[in-house]
Amino acid sequence: MALDIVIMAAGKGTRMKSSLPKVLHKLAGRSLLQHVLHTAGELGADRIITITGHGAEHVEAAVQAPHLQFVRQMPQLGTGHAVQQAVPALHAEGTTLILNGDVPLITARTARALIEACGGKKLALLTIELADPTGYGRIVRQGGSDNGQVRAIVEHKDASPEQRQIREIYTGMMAVPTAALKRWLGQLKNDNVQGEYYLTDIVAMAVADGTPVVAAQPKSEAEVLGVNSPLQLADLERRHQKALAERFMEDGVRLADPARFDVRGELHCGTDVEIDINCIFEGQVRLGSGVRIGASCVIRNARIADNVVIHPFTHIDGGGDENQQGVTVGAGSLIGPFARLRPGAELAEEVHIGNFVEVKNSTLARGAKANHLAYLGDATVGERVNYGAGSITANYDGANKHRTVIGNDVHVGSNSVLIAPVTLGDGATIGGGSTINKNVAAGDLAVARGKQMAISGWVRPVKKR
Ligand code: UD1
Ligand code: CA
C-alpha cells in the first residue's frame, strides 16, 4: 500500500524573531526540518512532500533527501490549505502521514504506530494529554468521556469554555486514508475565528462519513513538542541532550554531568570512556575504549583511538561535511590542554601534542612529540621526532602551500622556522632558533642563526640629564 508523507513547513515562525526560516533553526546540530526528514526517511515512504512558503527558496536549498519533493503554498491560508497544495502529488490510494517541520523529535516508532492505526482505512490522530493545553486543538470525544469516540478537533480560539477544559490535544500529526483525505480537503471552509482552512476540520467530516477516527499516543512528550520561540528551541535541545546522555550512560559511558554534555551529530563510544563537563561533539565522532576527555573540549569529525587522553580546552576540528578530511588520533596519544587539531591531522600511536600546539594537514608517526607552542602545517613527521617549543613550519609562500618532511628521530630545537618545501633526514638535529630553508641530510646538525659574539667590558648607555 502506498505511503505518502506530507511535511508542513510553510509557516512564518514569527515568534522566532529571526530572518532564518523557522524550520532551518538547528537542534542538536541539524535543522528542525532535517530531523523530520530523517525520521520520514526511515518509514519507507514512496513520496515525501514538503510544503514550503515563507523562505521557500532557503528551505528548499538547505535540505535534500531521496524521494523528496517540494510544493509551495503561497499565501498561507491554514493547515488544510497547506495539505491541499500537496493533493496533486499524492497517490490515489494508500495512506498519507502528515508531519510538521517544526516538531523535530517525532520518532519513527510513533509514526509507524500511527500509520498502522490508520491502516489505509481509519483516520488516526496523534494526541496527548497536557497539563496546560492552552493554544492547542482539543480532542472532542463522544459524551465527553476519556474513551468515547472522537467526534471532532476544536481549535483553541474556536473552543467553548467547557471545551477548553479538555486536556487531550491534537499534536499536529495524523495518518489518513489518501482517497478520503482528497475528498475531505475539497470540502474545507474557512468560517472560523481565524478565517483559515483548518486541516483539523476533516475529523468531523470523517465522523459524518462513518470513517472510524482513532487516536494514538507518543512514548514521550518531547516527541510532539513544536518549536515556536528561542526559549522552546533551547528547552527541546536540553530535553533531547538529556535523553541522549542517559542513553550513553546506560551503555557505560561515564559523563561527569549529563546536563553538561552536547552531541550535535553522531557519537560512538567504546567501553570505559570518561567525559568531563561541557564537551561538545559535532559531526561524526568515534571514541575508542578507555578514552578520557577533559572539560570543555570541542571535537568535530574525528576518530580517537583507544586509551587516548585529551586534556581540557582542546579543540579538534576534522572539518565540515563537504571536503571531509577528518582528524585521527592514534592509540595512547596525549593531547592538550589547549591543543588544536585541524582537518587532515593524522596522529599515529602515542603521539604527544601539548598546550598551544596547532596541527593541520599533517601526519605524525608513532611517538612523535610537539609539546609546547608550535605549528605543524602540511608536514610529514617521522617516528619519535621531538619538535621543540615555538617551532613552526612556514608552509605558505603567499600563493601556494608546501610540505615539510621530517624523518625519524629528528630533533628540532626550540623556536625553529622550517621553510617549506624542505626535508630533514633521519636523525637530523636542528639547533634552536634556526631558520631552515635547505634540506638537511640524515644525521647532520644544522644551525642557521646569527653567531653569538661577545664584547668584553660593555658599558650600557646612561640616561641624559
Ligand atoms: C495546529 C492545529 C492544532 C494543533 C497544533 C499542534 C490546525 C488548524 N490546528 O495549530 O489543532 O493542536 O497545530 O501544534 O491544524 N502551516 C503551513 N501553512 C499554513 C499554516 C501552517 O504550512 O498555512 C504549518 C506551520 O508551518 C506549522 C504547522 O503547519 O509547521 C502548524 O501550523 P501552526 O500555525 O503552528 O498551527 P496551530 O495553529 O498551532
Ligand atoms: Ca504550532
Side-chain angles (χ1 to χ4, degrees), residues 7-13 22-23 51-53 73 75-83 99-103 135-138 153-156 169-173 194 196-201 224 226 228:
I7 302 173
M8 293 193 290
K12 186 155 187 215
K22 178 164 77 171
V23 294
I51 314 285
T52 57
Q73 184 201 14
Q76 292 83 38
L77 305 179
T79 53
H81 181 250
V83 182
L99 301 174
N100 280 282
D102 60 355
V103 182
Y136 291 97
R138 304 301 206 282
I153 297 175
V154 179
E155 291 306 303
H156 180 89
I169 62 102
Y170 170 56
T171 60
M173 291 170 266
Q194 304 188 77
E196 288 182 4
Y197 294 92
Y198 290 166
L199 177 63
T200 44
D201 283 352
V224 300
N228 297 297

Side-chain angles (χ1 to χ4, degrees), residues 115-147:
I115 294 163
E116 251 168 59
C118 165
K121 294 189 186 69
K122 301 176 188 173
L123 173 51
L125 305 173
L126 191 66
T127 74
I128 191 170
E129 291 217 3
L130 292 182
D132 178 11
T134 308
Y136 291 97
R138 304 301 206 282
I139 305 297
V140 178
R141 287 175 180 269
Q142 183 81 44
S145 72
D146 285 357
N147 42 18

Side-chain angles (χ1 to χ4, degrees), residues 370-383:
N371 274 325
H372 330 267
L373 301 160
Y375 177 57
L376 280 162
D378 305 304
T380 303
V381 180
E383 295 185 7

Side-chain angles (χ1 to χ4, degrees), residues 378-395:
D378 305 304
T380 303
V381 180
E383 295 185 7
R384 297 170 300 277
V385 163
N386 196 320
Y387 193 75
S391 294
I392 65 160
T393 53
N395 55 325

Side-chain angles (χ1 to χ4, degrees), residues 21 29 41 72 78 107 163 168 181 233 246 263-264 301 344 346 351-352 354-355 363 366 376 404 423 448 459:
R72 291 199 185 173
T107 61
Q163 287 170 331
E168 186 185 7
L181 175 67
L233 180 59
E246 284 168 6
V263 178
R264 301 175 187 162
N301 290 326
E346 281 180 38
V351 165
H352 293 189
N355 43 227
T363 59
R366 173 190 280 272
L376 280 162
T404 301
T423 298
V459 180

Side-chain angles (χ1 to χ4, degrees), residues 250-270:
E250 275 161 21
D251 287 344
V253 176
R254 296 194 289 277
L255 300 179
D257 182 357
R260 285 178 290 175
F261 167 73
D262 284 86
V263 178
R264 301 175 187 162
E266 267 179 58
L267 174 65
H268 300 273
C269 295

